[in-house]
Every structure is written in C-alpha cells, then in structure tokens.
C-alpha cells in the first residue's frame, strides 16, 4: 500500500520477529506493538491465548498501552500486528482510542493457513468493517508483507 511509511515497515519487521518469538516460546505465532506518533514504543505483546482465549497479542498490547497513556496520545498512536486484528481486537483498538492500524497478513490469508484448527476458529469479519461502524475514524493499512508474515505460521496449525 502506498500510504505505508518507512517507519511502518520498520515496526512491522519488529512485530514479525516478535511473532516468531511467541511461537518459539510455545504460544500462538502472533504479536502486536502500540507505537506513539513520535516512534516511541508504548507497548508490545505476544499471544497468550493458550491460557486465556481473549489474550490475543493486540488485546495484551492495547491493555498495556491504555494503562500507561491517555486518550490524547493513543489517538495518534499506531497498532502494528503481524496479522489483521480479529473482530475482538478491532473492537479493543476502537475502544482504546488508537487511531491507526498497520498489519502484515490478512484474516483471509490466515484462515487459509489455519483451516479448521480449533485453536483459531476464525471470525471472518475484516477489521475495516468493524471500524467502519464506529463514530470516529480508524486508519487501516494492510495487508503488507504477507509472505513474510506466513513464515511464523508455517507448519504450526493443524488443518
């Protein structure tokens, strides 16, 4: 996408590495970061849904960011994720007030990898559709770098 910046690509590189680390540590291969407009990392998190099904990486990062920073800073922040935020995570992004989302792999591409694995029962609802129902705009950039994003998932899911 043409509106992705060099900074967006730098943070996607970091979040893709964090997703691989999540997998290496025995969790689902997902990661997210919340980054302030000035490039300061506010929060980063990996997936912990094996113990709490709502503990997706995005939700974990958004909770940390919301505890540490007010609405003014979050409104200009960006959520980076290695996969498109699911409906729950898009809702969490909206309610946290984060104004921008950049992701690497689409939900449709993720579904092609996970198939019917019960560990990832896909909600086929693009984040853009969730955000379109809100009263304030949320900018969305993605998918970007899907081939790279698939690497952390290779061989992980039971189709």
């Amino acid at each position: 996408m043409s509106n992705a910046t060099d900074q967006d690509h730098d943070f996607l590189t970091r979040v893709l590495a964090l997703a691989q680390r999540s997998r290496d540590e025995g969790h689902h291969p997902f990661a997210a970061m919340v980054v302030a407009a000035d490039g300061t990392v506010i929060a980063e998190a990996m997936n912990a849904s094996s113990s709490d099904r709502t503990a997706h990486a995005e939700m974990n990062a958004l909770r940390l960011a919301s505890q540490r920073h007010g609405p003014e800073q979050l409104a200009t922040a960006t959520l980076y994720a290695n996969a498109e935020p699911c409906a729950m995570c898009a809702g969490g992004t909206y309610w946290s007030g984060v104004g921008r989302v950049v992701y690497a792999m689409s939900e449709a591409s993720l579904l092609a990898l996970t198939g019917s694995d019960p560990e990832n029962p896909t909600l086929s609802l693009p984040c853009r559709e969730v955000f379109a129902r809100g009263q304030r705009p949320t900018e969305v950039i993605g998918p970007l770098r899907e081939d790279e994003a698939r690497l952390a998932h290779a061989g992980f899911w039971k189709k």
Side-chain angles (χ1 to χ4, degrees):
M1 299 228 142
S2 59
N3 48 356
T5 67
D6 288 342
Q7 178 174 292
D8 290 335
H9 284 285
D10 290 345
F11 283 112
L12 275 181
T13 297
R14 290 175 64 176
V15 88
L16 290 170
L18 193 59
Q20 182 62 53
R21 184 175 139 209
S22 182
R23 179 182 178 161
D24 293 345
E25 292 183 8
H27 303 288
H28 291 172
F30 297 103
M33 301 174 79
V34 179
V35 179
D38 68 2
T40 302
V41 175
I42 294 174
E44 66 178 35
M46 296 181 291
N47 193 289
S49 65
S50 56
S51 59
D52 173 354
R53 301 293 288 193
T54 66
H56 290 190
E58 298 93 332
M59 294 298 290
N60 294 337
L62 291 164
R63 283 184 190 108
L64 287 170
S66 296
Q67 290 165 4
R68 298 173 182 167
H69 300 280
E72 305 79 26
Q73 188 173 21
L74 294 177
T76 60
T78 299
L79 172 73
Y80 292 94
N82 67 306
E84 181 175 359
C86 71
M88 175 182 67
C89 294
T93 301
Y94 179 80
W95 288 112
S96 73
V98 169
R100 189 168 179 267
V101 174
V102 177
Y103 66 88
M105 183 171 40
S106 71
E107 181 72 22
S109 293
L110 178 63
L111 177 58
L113 291 173
T114 63
S116 60
D117 189 313
E119 290 292 311
N120 193 55
T122 299
L123 274 170
S124 186
L125 181 60
C127 70
R128 283 177 173 86
E129 289 185 36
V130 175
F131 295 132
R133 303 296 178 109
Q135 291 182 309
R136 69 174 171 277
T138 302
E139 180 183 4
V140 180
I141 299 173
L144 301 170
R145 299 166 59 177
E146 288 197 282
D147 289 341
E148 288 175 74
R150 284 185 187 96
L151 295 175
H153 295 268
F156 183 84
W157 302 100
K158 301 175 195 105
K159 294 181 103 170

